Structure formats: C-alpha cells, structure tokens
Amino acid sequence: MDPITALLEKVLIEIGPHDSGEPASYIPELAESDPNLLAFGVVGPRGRVMTVGDDGAEFTIQSMSKPFVLALALHTFGREAVFARVGAEPSGEPFNAISLEAGTGRPANPMVNAGAIATTSLIPGADIDERTAAIVAMMSAFAGRSLWIDESVYASESATGDRNRALAHLLKSYGIVEGSVHDAVETYFRQCSVLVTVRDLAVMAATLAFGGRNPVTRERVVSERVARDVTSIMASCGMYDFSGEWMLRVGLPAKSGVSGGVMAVAPSQFGVAAFSPRLDAHGNSVRAQAIVAMLSDRFGMHLLEPHESIAAPGISVQESAAGPVVRLGGELGFAGAERVLSMLREIVTAAPNAAVITVDAAELARSHPAAVMVLQTEIDSMAPRVRLLQ
Ligand code: DON
C-alpha cells in the first residue's frame, strides 16, 4: 500500500466508530440511504486518485452540484452578468432560508438554495432536458467520466420540493428568475440528483484545485479565473451558517450536500471528498466533515498556512566563461522576485567587473506579470553587467 493510502486508512479507522447524526429525512428517498456507509479520497497534482472505505458507493451530489452550475454560468456569461443576479456574501443562514437582499431580491450567494436556483435559471436551453444536459456535461468534464441522474431521488425531491418552488416564485417576482419557474426549479432538482462516488467528487474538487484543468484527463474544463471565482465562493459560503467556523478550523474551500458528501479544495495541492450519510443540525455530514478536518490538519492544507515556495523560486548559480548564470525554476511570484533581486545584488557585488551576469528565467514553470516586471526593471538598471533571458 502506498504511504498516502496508508495514512487515509488510519483516518478511516479513527473516524469509523463515530455514529452521531441521522441521514436527511426531508427527501424521503435520502432517508433510505445506509447510514453506515463511509468513504473518502484525495486526488493529487498528477491525477493520482487515492480512495478508501466504501468508495464504490454512489450517492446523489445534492448541493455539491451548486459550485459546478456556478462554474457553467460564469463560463457562459462571465463574472459581472452572473453576480448581477446573485450575491457573493455569506448569508449566515441555513441552506433553505429566504436569503434575499431587501429591495432587489438578489439571493445572498450561489451556495444557498435561492442563489443556486437563480444560477440554474441562467443556464441556456430550450427546456429542462437541454439545460440538464448542459449541466451534466459540465459536471462530467469536472469528474472525467459521464455522470447521470438517479431518477427515483429526483422524483422524491420534486414531490417534496415545495419550499424550493416557493423560493423560485419569489425570485421570479423580483425578476431574478426570468422565464419558467417550473423549468428552473425542476432543472435544479435534476442537478441535485446526479449520482457520484467519492472518486468522482475528489476529481471534481481537484479540477478546481488545479485551476480548472482536470488532473486525471488533463482536459481544461474552465478557465483559471472561473475556477478561482467558484473556489472563493466555496470558501466564504460553502458550508452555509457554519462557513466561518469551518474556515477557522479546517481552512479549505468546501461544499457539503445533504446526501452526506463534503468536497474540499486545497489549491495546487489536493482535491478531497468524503461521504457518510449521517448529518448534523446544519445539514452537513458529521463524519465527512471530521475526515476533511483531519486531512487538512495532518497534510498541512489550511489555506492560510504560510508557504515557503511562493516566496522562494528555485535558484541555482553556475559559473560560465562569461560570468555567473543565475537559473530560476518553479514559480516566480512578487515576493520571490524580491528574493531573487537581493541575491542578485550580492552576486553583482562579489563578481569581477568584467563578468556578465545572466539571469535565466526561461525554465520558470509559472511567473506573475508584476514579478517579471519588477525583475526586468531592476535588471535593466544594472545593464550591461546583468542580462535577463526569458
Ligand atoms: O434543495 C434541496 O433541498 C436539496 N436538493 C439540496 C440541499 C443540500 O444538499 C443542502 N446541503 N447541505
């Protein structure tokens, strides 16, 4: 067994015995799910998927669909058009609250139901089937396989979805939902009923973690900007009225669903997903949250954990006949440029006057325009003793 899977197995053993909470009962079909199921997994930068527990179990994606429909709306219409219809503020309220802005009726954010129905209503399509197909195609690209719907959960959700219908009618009265309320809300029920496994969810989360490119299929699904926008909203609003506490303790953009799933994004590190149907009073899975919290702690994934790498690009110095060559590798950010420049000043002072110092930035994996600009400006001021290769 590889060392990461071994660590995951240890977490599984520690969390397994916890049995508080109950599966969601307001959707009758969800109340039937086996409360003892437990699975989780992570996907790393090279697309390796590591899962443990009941990782073959399928469950409906529920509210974890919301980030992907937001991604589709942003991909289709851009940031301004989408956020004209739905806010970007945590509501501090439960998922099914009437969190609408006074006066405009704009829902607080796209993660609560009102905001998600507003986002879904934006997705183009002649009817429910066309809109659903577009949404499922986007989710499938995130997951790297063709997903589809559990018709009995959909039927159960539609049969008991009057609160969501009421929210949709309110949105229509404010002009936030245009067109058919029925189509918007049934499409929302269908998106919630898409079947996934923890593997699928971990790959979907990883696609967000790696800037919109699926690390397994290597397909670019959405732009870096869209992935960043979605992840930002998950960070502030993904866990409803537990979002602030979650950020404090776990520190990962995340989204929960009433089926018992939690998926989390560790940017540039891992996509994470966990599943266990027993929920707490906020409608979040007890054991899935505990697992993500434990992984964040043990793997050092808290978003606000300080990191050395962004401030320290790879720097190696070699001698050549003309003078020293300073080779840069990895990522050059703003703080990293400062570090390169202070090293460069020392090299310039130590080198003989006749030496030409070359800064070779051609092998950088990633560079930020402001960092390159700072480097270029300073190196220009040291010419002809120093030159930059890009
Ligand atoms: O809107 C609903 O009732 C569900 N289909 C989705 C809610 C959900 O998953 C809330 N999240 N924890």
Side-chain angles (χ1 to χ4, degrees), residues 18-67:
H18 294 261
D19 64 356
S20 61
E22 289 303 326
S25 57
Y26 75 99
I27 299 171
E29 198 72 18
L30 290 185
E32 302 296 309
S33 49
D34 176 354
N36 298 319
L37 289 171
L38 177 62
F40 67 99
V42 299
V43 177
R46 302 203 168 272
R48 209 152 73 84
V49 183
M50 290 154 279
T51 55
V52 294
D54 303 307
D55 50 8
E58 289 192 310
F59 51 95
T60 51
I61 191 166
Q62 295 297 335
S63 284
M64 293 174 290
S65 62
K66 295 168 180 174

Side-chain angles (χ1 to χ4, degrees), residues 46-378:
R46 302 203 168 272
R48 209 152 73 84
V49 183
M50 290 154 279
T51 55
V52 294
D54 303 307
D55 50 8
E58 289 192 310
F59 51 95
T60 51
I61 191 166
Q62 295 297 335
S63 284
M64 293 174 290
S65 62
K66 295 168 180 174
F68 304 106
V69 180
L70 174 62
L72 176 57
L74 290 168
H75 176 76
T76 311
F77 297 109
R79 186 196 264 175
E80 301 319 319
V82 172
F83 287 105
R85 300 273 172 144
V86 56
E89 293 301 332
S91 67
E93 292 185 303
F95 68 93
N96 57 4
I98 309 172
S99 302
L100 307 185
E101 192 175 70
T104 65
R106 207 169 60 125
N109 65 67
M111 300 293 112
V112 291
N113 287 7
I117 294 167
T119 315
T120 299
S121 76
L122 291 173
I123 304 305
D127 53 24
I128 299 169
D129 286 347
E130 258 189 49
R131 286 170 162 194
T132 304
I135 290 170
V136 176
M138 178 55 95
M139 287 186 192
S140 300
F142 267 96
R145 76 167 181 111
S146 290
L147 302 175
W148 199 239
I149 288 166
D150 183 324
E151 293 294 344
S152 51
V153 173
Y154 163 67
S156 185
E157 178 137 1
S158 180
T160 54
D162 286 332
R163 191 177 173 92
N164 283 324
R165 279 191 195 92
L167 283 172
H169 279 286
L170 263 177
L171 292 169
K172 172 92 178 178
S173 77
Y174 283 107
I176 299 284
V177 166
E178 291 175 356
S180 161
V181 167
H182 173 260
D183 283 11
V185 85
E186 294 301 322
T187 307
Y188 168 75
F189 293 147
R190 289 187 78 63
Q191 82 184 44
C192 288
S193 306
V194 167
L195 280 171
V196 287
T197 62
V198 281
R199 182 192 197 279
D200 296 325
L201 274 180
V203 177
M204 294 167 95
T207 302
L208 290 172
F210 299 110
R213 186 188 292 281
N214 184 317
V216 177
T217 63
R218 312 300 303 164
E219 183 193 350
R220 167 150 301 287
V221 179
V222 289
S223 66
E224 281 192 7
R225 169 56 71 89
V226 166
R228 196 184 76 180
D229 284 356
V230 170
T231 310
S232 304
I233 296 290
M234 288 167 68
S236 54
C237 313
M239 301 298 277
Y240 310 116
D241 45 343
F242 191 62
S243 296
E245 184 108 7
W246 176 265
M247 188 46 69
L248 173 76
R249 296 182 189 284
V250 183
L252 292 176
K255 187 73 210 75
S256 58
V258 285
S259 48
V262 173
M263 63 161 190
V265 175
S268 306
Q269 298 191 68
F270 284 108
V272 183
F275 167 61
S276 162
R278 295 181 195 270
L279 309 182
D280 66 13
H282 298 276
N284 297 326
S285 165
V286 177
R287 293 193 297 186
Q289 289 182 93
I291 285 165
V292 177
M294 204 174 259
L295 293 179
S296 171
D297 187 46
R298 296 205 179 155
F299 293 1
M301 293 193 291
H302 194 297
L303 204 58
L304 299 178
E305 185 102 20
H307 290 289
E308 196 50 32
S309 56
I310 182 79
I315 305 175
S316 66
V317 184
Q318 285 156 2
E319 284 304 326
S320 77
V325 178
V326 181
R327 282 189 213 289
L328 305 182
E331 178 169 359
L332 184 71
F334 202 63
E338 181 48 39
R339 186 176 288 216
V340 172
L341 285 175
S342 78
M343 216 173 141
L344 195 56
R345 286 185 202 109
E346 286 170 24
I347 294 171
V348 169
T349 312
N353 272 345
V356 173
I357 298 141
T358 304
V359 178
D360 183 353
E363 299 297 316
L364 279 171
R366 188 180 169 94
S367 58
H368 295 260
V372 175
M373 194 267 283
V374 164
L375 201 62
Q376 180 81 66
T377 308
E378 184 76 7

